[in-house]
Amino acid sequence: MSHPGATATDKHKVVIIGSGFGGLNAAQKLKHADVDIKLIAKTTHHLFQPLLYQVATGIISEGEIAPPTRLILRKQDNAQVLLGEVTHIDLANKTVDSLLLGHTYRTPYDTLIVAAGAGQSYFGNDHFAEWAPGMKTIDDALELRGRILGAFEQAERSSDPERRAKLLTFVVVGAGPTGVEMAGQIAELADQTLKGSFRHIDTTKARVILLDAAPAVLPPMGEKLGLKAKARLEKMGVEIQLGAMVTDVDRNGITVKETDGTLRRIESATKVWSAGVQASPLGRELANQSDAEIDRAGRVKVLPDLTIPGHPNVFVVGDMAFVDGVPGMAQGAIQGAKYAANIIKAELKGADPSTREPFKYFDKGSMATVSRFSAVAKVGKIEFGGFIAWLAWLLLHLVYLVGFKTKIATLLSWTTTFLGSHRGQLTITEQQAYARTRIEQLQEIAASVDEEKAS
Amino acid sequence: MSHPGATATDKHKVVIIGSGFGGLNAAQKLKHADVDIKLIAKTTHHLFQPLLYQVATGIISEGEIAPPTRLILRKQDNAQVLLGEVTHIDLANKTVDSLLLGHTYRTPYDTLIVAAGAGQSYFGNDHFAEWAPGMKTIDDALELRGRILGAFEQAERSSDPERRAKLLTFVVVGAGPTGVEMAGQIAELADQTLKGSFRHIDTTKARVILLDAAPAVLPPMGEKLGLKAKARLEKMGVEIQLGAMVTDVDRNGITVKETDGTLRRIESATKVWSAGVQASPLGRELANQSDAEIDRAGRVKVLPDLTIPGHPNVFVVGDMAFVDGVPGMAQGAIQGAKYAANIIKAELKGADPSTREPFKYFDKGSMATVSRFSAVAKVGKIEFGGFIAWLAWLLLHLVYLVGFKTKIATLLSWTTTFLGSHRGQLTITEQQAYARTRIEQLQEIAASVDEEKAS
């Protein structure tokens, strides 16, 4: 793979698809390699997904968790960041096509690292998406921020008790880390941040429902921590409904099927979907051109060296790759990226591709916050929860945030939110207002007039 | 006007339209009055407009200048904040109709304070708006942030020198405070913040053009300060074109007519409009039902007590009102709001409406930042510029920002931006990407393929 005496123009070309944990780390680990890196992503930013729920609930600004990728890589001369959505990968000709505003660009590669991540999965019911946005992008978070706060605004004006109840019922589907964090934060938003700022409604009476088809909260964290998180959420007033499978989602609510088969209806204007993930369609693109297989979630079943059969120069890392025992978390993507980068560097120095050591995942543990001062964490066999876990969560996330100023800004936001229940990012943009209009207009009867009495 | 022995249900009803400087201050000045206040606004936030350009150029987050109005008024029990766009005012029946998501609410008032502000004016050429967004709302700022940063992203990928030049040319129309601040900040963004983060383009070569039909920069600040600001901007590389009247704006650029009548074309993908303002259409609504007149900018020519003829209970304050010698700035709105609130309080206590003292505007001066460490200020006869003016500008705006945490967060953002050229809020959302797509798709030829060479 190495090019002895390579000149600036014929350096080994590494193309990376995606600017998430996998893509960014792959580029950074190749900083000192004699390669030409092109990182192609459909967003200009690197998203620190673990804190997305805090943008949705107004604790931090999008800038704090989504800095421009090109500024992170600014000083890395061998890397170029390109904005564009990859539409086609040609394994035979070793090129990647990406689209930017109607213009398609073809980029050649010697080595390809595919780290395009995963989107929300509605398990074949994509029409749920309009009524229950996922939590995968900055736009998802801003959309949900607008819907959550917008529901309170509408409830304040509505004189119809039924409609008000519907507007003050929030359903979070999926009791994984994101669902648990969203449910907890919506509850704190209603009970603390917004408390006393409305005159016709009592935000503390808002219902927050966290439901899942599974019988437990945070299944991967084990029964003990799951029960701990469940107890904490219930203490906060979150209604937890397990063994409840969602069969339908519409503008006015959600229908669930109980384990005994009975159907139940929940009237709710605001739904959040964090139930499943679907890998980038680029996985199928790879499978169609090789002997690689993809699983039900669209993940590529990669070889032990994270490449696809017949293409030792094509790595798949992060949420797009299925590797037994590797969870779809930041750590999996980061470690996979480092592994691929190290192989590229070694083989540029002449190492024999046939002697690649298989990828080994080192489980650094996992954690989830439930509410302020309360989190659960699992590190190997050690399980702990409560304040200590929360403190560990807080420090760890601060350390991983990109940029010193960002760490300070976020620490400041957390201080005021966790100590004072203040939230500095509750601004709704028209983008969200429009979204609400689009949805609500449909359910409104032809503009009727409410005679508003002085309170 | 007072209601002796008023009970909770028949308190004097004050309806305020708008959550800007006028509307918010009117509500706050009535805090201790025995009235029932309903503040109706079409956004959930109070916008601190003077810093909007810093959101557009990635220095601060929208949350820092657009906190929810209801949280600002949370502890003011006599005030209720309602989201809705006022569609009709009925002076005869003393009611206000507002629309929220297809639902119209009718709100009765005893006293009405109209402070709906002003939008951008394109002087009858509203079709310019699509290609040259204004700078009036949070959405305007985010839209422009997306277009400005998006232009650099597209230029990085484009292999066509002409298109690249067009993408790297930014035109700001209107050399008032907002235009001067935008031009200066786009220049600093290109020269400092983004410098070195692209590989195919040199952002410091970007052209920033500030043009105005008037012969001077910052006319209201006087010739001396105008020349000072002009010199500073030119030192930063901003091209200033005065006496240039915009005759057309399209997706690819702008056409201007020189003072000698010749037409000149400027190819530019990104245009910003800060040339004029148009008062809220509610002004006409009032004029249609009274003897009030409106000027060309749609402002209501109010009586000396800021009310309209025949309706001593209807005040118009801020950018919607035309009062000789009162500029369309925050101070005008704030002082008008205080004046109206004081009259309401006095007359609730029995004062005679016929003895109202006319509104007097106290000019606290005005200022504008040109770049970091450089501003111009005018206080009465005193004019000064440079670092001292900038420091005064900085402190004054910090003092006026709502909330302690916001002051700290903003100070932190300013420190890193002004001392280190770092900007923490450069995130683009899909909302903006879509806007660019909508615009750019049109000018793209059917998707052609660029063979991209390794750099």
Side-chain angles (χ1 to χ4, degrees):
Chain A
M1 266 169 86
S2 69
H3 294 215
T7 73
T9 53
D10 67 351
K11 279 190 197 300
H12 185 83
K13 295 183 284 296
V14 178
V15 169
I16 299 169
I17 302 173
S19 59
F21 288 108
L24 179 63
N25 279 274
Q28 290 175 317
K29 296 304 163 215
L30 289 168
K31 180 169 187 173
H32 301 299
D34 183 32
V35 294
D36 173 77
I37 303 166
K38 289 198 190 312
L39 186 152
I40 305 172
K42 61 181 175 182
T43 68
T44 58
H45 55 261
H46 163 66
L47 178 59
F48 190 79
Q49 209 147 355
L51 291 179
L52 195 56
Y53 75 96
Q54 295 202 353
V55 172
T57 53
I59 297 173
I60 59 178
S61 69
E62 58 270 27
E64 288 165 60
I65 62 166
T69 313
R70 67 173 62 261
L71 289 182
I72 302 171
L73 295 174
R74 172 194 218 145
K75 296 220 164 70
Q76 188 173 328
D77 297 335
N78 68 348
Q80 178 182 29
V81 176
L82 298 167
L83 178 63
E85 178 155 17
V86 172
T87 53
H88 179 61
I89 296 170
D90 186 331
L91 293 178
N93 295 306
K94 301 204 280 187
T95 60
V96 168
D97 287 357
S98 53
L99 180 73
L100 175 59
L101 305 173
H103 205 68
T104 295
Y105 300 88
R106 179 158 296 162
T107 314
Y109 67 82
D110 296 311
T111 300
L112 178 65
I113 300 176
V114 187
Q120 214 72 58
S121 168
Y122 290 85
F123 309 115
N125 301 295
D126 290 354
H127 59 286
F128 289 3
E130 182 174 11
W131 315 115
M135 274 286 290
K136 283 291 174 188
T137 67
I138 286 290
D139 280 81
D140 287 339
L142 294 177
E143 173 68 37
L144 282 166
R145 183 197 288 175
R147 290 190 189 201
I148 293 164
L149 297 171
F152 287 106
E153 294 291 339
Q154 292 167 64
E156 173 76 350
R157 297 212 79 167
S158 177
S159 53
D160 168 0
E162 267 190 23
R163 178 157 183 263
R164 218 159 43 226
K166 182 188 77 181
L167 286 162
L168 292 177
T169 300
F170 302 85
V171 177
V172 178
V173 180
T178 302
V180 165
E181 284 158 341
M182 274 302 283
Q185 286 309 312
I186 295 173
E188 290 194 343
L189 191 60
D191 294 343
Q192 295 155 23
T193 308
L194 298 180
K195 186 182 181 184
S197 64
F198 292 82
R199 301 294 175 248
H200 283 170
I201 60 168
D202 176 354
T203 61
T204 66
K205 296 272 188 299
R207 285 181 71 194
V208 181
I209 301 170
L210 175 65
L211 57 81
D212 201 304
V217 169
L218 296 174
M221 305 282 284
E223 189 181 2
K224 182 159 151 271
L225 292 181
L227 289 173
K228 213 179 175 76
K230 183 168 179 290
R232 173 64 195 168
L233 283 167
E234 284 170 336
K235 195 151 167 284
M236 296 167 66
V238 175
E239 300 172 37
I240 297 182
Q241 303 178 358
L242 301 171
M245 156 106 70
V246 174
T247 59
D248 193 28
V249 179
D250 58 44
R251 61 176 74 109
N252 292 314
I254 197 161
T255 307
V256 296
K257 185 197 260 173
E258 306 290 6
T259 43
D260 64 11
T262 56
L263 294 178
R264 182 165 54 88
R265 173 77 178 171
I266 305 170
E267 291 294 311
S268 164
T270 313
K271 287 81 67 176
V272 183
W273 192 269
S274 62
V277 296
Q278 182 68 31
S280 159
L282 290 177
R284 181 166 299 284
E285 184 86 2
L286 295 173
N288 291 343
Q289 300 173 59
S290 71
D291 296 337
E293 289 177 3
I294 55 176
D295 68 1
R296 271 180 57 258
R299 294 178 300 177
V300 180
K301 295 178 178 169
V302 292
L303 300 174
D305 65 355
L306 305 185
T307 64
I308 57 177
H311 299 275
N313 64 327
V314 178
F315 296 86
V316 184
V317 303
D319 290 356
M320 270 189 74
F322 173 78
V323 184
D324 208 18
V326 180
M329 299 193 312
Q331 272 306 317
I334 294 169
Q335 292 179 32
K338 287 184 186 177
Y339 171 85
N342 287 333
I343 286 182
I344 293 168
K345 284 189 284 189
E347 294 177 7
L348 276 171
K349 294 200 180 75
D352 176 358
S354 65
T355 65
R356 292 179 181 177
E357 289 288 329
F359 170 66
K360 280 193 200 63
Y361 176 68
F362 172 65
D363 184 2
K364 289 188 176 179
S366 55
M367 44 180 31
T369 37
V370 183
S371 68
R372 56 181 185 172
F373 311 143
S374 174
V376 292
K378 189 166 193 269
V379 184
K381 296 257 164 298
I382 310 152
E383 299 181 347
F384 57 113
F387 185 70
I388 299 303
W390 182 79
L391 217 56
W393 169 89
L394 188 135
L395 293 174
L396 201 70
H397 284 73
L398 265 189
V399 169
Y400 273 96
L401 272 176
V402 175
F404 179 70
K405 186 256 176 179
T406 304
K407 296 179 200 289
I408 303 291
T410 304
L411 189 58
L412 176 64
S413 301
W414 287 353
T415 307
T416 53
T417 299
F418 298 137
L419 296 186
S421 88
H422 165 93
R423 295 186 185 218
Q425 300 293 335
L426 295 171
T427 308
I428 301 178
T429 64
E430 282 298 311
Q431 171 186 28
Q432 281 66 45
Y434 286 143
R436 293 205 309 279
T437 308
R438 201 187 67 244
I439 291 162
E440 292 292 323
Q441 292 279 20
L442 301 166
Q443 82 196 57
E444 297 288 355
I445 328 88
S448 61
V449 175
D450 269 20
E451 295 291 340
E452 214 159 58
K453 293 143 222 70
S455 53
Chain B
M1 265 167 86
S2 68
H3 293 215
T7 72
T9 52
D10 66 351
K11 279 191 197 297
H12 185 84
K13 295 184 284 295
V14 177
V15 168
I16 299 169
I17 302 173
S19 60
F21 287 108
L24 179 63
N25 280 274
Q28 289 175 317
K29 295 304 163 216
L30 289 168
K31 181 168 186 174
H32 302 298
D34 183 32
V35 295
D36 172 77
I37 303 166
K38 290 198 188 313
L39 185 153
I40 305 173
K42 61 181 175 182
T43 69
T44 58
H45 55 261
H46 162 66
L47 177 61
F48 190 79
Q49 209 146 354
L51 291 179
L52 196 56
Y53 75 96
Q54 295 201 353
V55 172
T57 53
I59 297 174
I60 58 178
S61 68
E62 58 270 27
E64 288 166 61
I65 61 166
T69 313
R70 69 173 62 263
L71 289 182
I72 301 172
L73 296 174
R74 171 194 220 146
K75 296 218 163 70
Q76 187 172 331
D77 297 334
N78 68 348
Q80 177 182 29
V81 176
L82 298 167
L83 178 63
E85 178 155 17
V86 172
T87 53
H88 178 61
I89 297 170
D90 185 332
L91 294 178
N93 295 305
K94 299 203 281 186
T95 60
V96 168
D97 286 358
S98 54
L99 180 74
L100 175 59
L101 305 173
H103 206 68
T104 295
Y105 300 89
R106 179 157 296 163
T107 313
Y109 67 83
D110 296 311
T111 300
L112 178 65
I113 300 177
V114 187
Q120 213 73 58
S121 168
Y122 291 86
F123 309 114
N125 300 296
D126 290 354
H127 59 285
F128 289 3
E130 181 173 13
W131 314 115
M135 275 287 290
K136 283 290 174 188
T137 68
I138 285 292
D139 280 80
D140 287 340
L142 293 177
E143 172 69 37
L144 282 166
R145 184 197 287 175
R147 290 189 189 202
I148 293 165
L149 296 172
F152 287 107
E153 294 291 339
Q154 292 168 62
E156 173 76 350
R157 295 213 79 167
S158 177
S159 53
D160 169 359
E162 266 189 23
R163 177 155 183 265
R164 218 157 46 224
K166 181 188 76 182
L167 287 162
L168 293 177
T169 300
F170 302 84
V171 178
V172 178
V173 180
T178 301
V180 164
E181 284 159 341
M182 274 302 283
Q185 286 309 312
I186 294 173
E188 289 193 344
L189 192 60
D191 293 343
Q192 295 155 21
T193 307
L194 298 179
K195 185 181 180 185
S197 64
F198 292 82
R199 301 293 176 249
H200 283 170
I201 61 169
D202 178 353
T203 61
T204 66
K205 298 271 190 298
R207 285 180 72 194
V208 180
I209 301 170
L210 175 64
L211 57 82
D212 202 303
V217 170
L218 297 174
M221 304 284 282
E223 189 181 1
K224 181 159 152 269
L225 292 181
L227 289 173
K228 212 177 176 74
K230 183 168 179 289
R232 174 64 196 165
L233 284 168
E234 284 170 336
K235 194 151 167 287
M236 295 167 67
V238 175
E239 301 173 37
I240 298 182
Q241 304 178 355
L242 300 171
M245 155 108 72
V246 175
T247 59
D248 193 27
V249 179
D250 59 44
R251 63 177 72 110
N252 291 316
I254 197 161
T255 306
V256 296
K257 184 199 256 171
E258 306 290 4
T259 43
D260 63 11
T262 56
L263 293 178
R264 182 165 53 89
R265 172 77 178 171
I266 304 170
E267 292 294 311
S268 164
T270 312
K271 287 81 66 178
V272 183
W273 192 269
S274 62
V277 297
Q278 182 68 29
S280 158
L282 290 177
R284 179 166 300 284
E285 183 86 2
L286 295 174
N288 291 342
Q289 299 174 59
S290 70
D291 296 335
E293 289 177 4
I294 56 176
D295 68 3
R296 271 180 59 258
R299 295 176 300 177
V300 180
K301 294 178 178 169
V302 292
L303 300 174
D305 65 355
L306 303 185
T307 62
I308 56 177
H311 299 276
N313 63 326
V314 178
F315 296 87
V316 183
V317 304
D319 290 356
M320 269 189 74
F322 172 78
V323 184
D324 207 18
V326 180
M329 301 193 310
Q331 272 306 318
I334 293 169
Q335 292 179 33
K338 288 184 185 176
Y339 171 85
N342 287 332
I343 286 181
I344 294 168
K345 284 188 283 189
E347 294 177 7
L348 276 171
K349 293 200 181 74
D352 175 358
S354 65
T355 64
R356 292 181 182 176
E357 289 289 328
F359 170 66
K360 279 194 201 60
Y361 176 68
F362 172 64
D363 184 2
K364 288 188 176 177
S366 55
M367 46 182 26
T369 37
V370 183
S371 68
R372 55 181 185 172
F373 311 143
S374 174
V376 290
K378 189 166 193 257
V379 184
K381 295 259 163 298
I382 309 152
E383 298 182 347
F384 58 114
F387 185 71
I388 299 304
W390 182 79
L391 217 55
W393 168 89
L394 188 135
L395 293 174
L396 201 71
H397 284 74
L398 266 189
V399 168
Y400 272 95
L401 272 175
V402 175
F404 179 70
K405 186 257 176 178
T406 304
K407 295 178 200 289
I408 303 291
T410 303
L411 189 59
L412 176 65
S413 301
W414 287 353
T415 308
T416 52
T417 299
F418 297 138
L419 297 186
S421 88
H422 164 92
R423 295 184 185 220
Q425 300 293 335
L426 296 171
T427 308
I428 301 177
T429 64
E430 282 297 311
Q431 171 186 26
Q432 280 67 46
Y434 286 144
R436 293 206 310 279
T437 308
R438 202 186 68 244
I439 291 161
E440 291 293 323
Q441 292 280 20
L442 302 166
Q443 80 196 58
E444 297 289 355
I445 329 88
S448 63
V449 174
D450 269 20
E451 296 291 340
E452 211 159 60
K453 292 141 221 71
S455 53

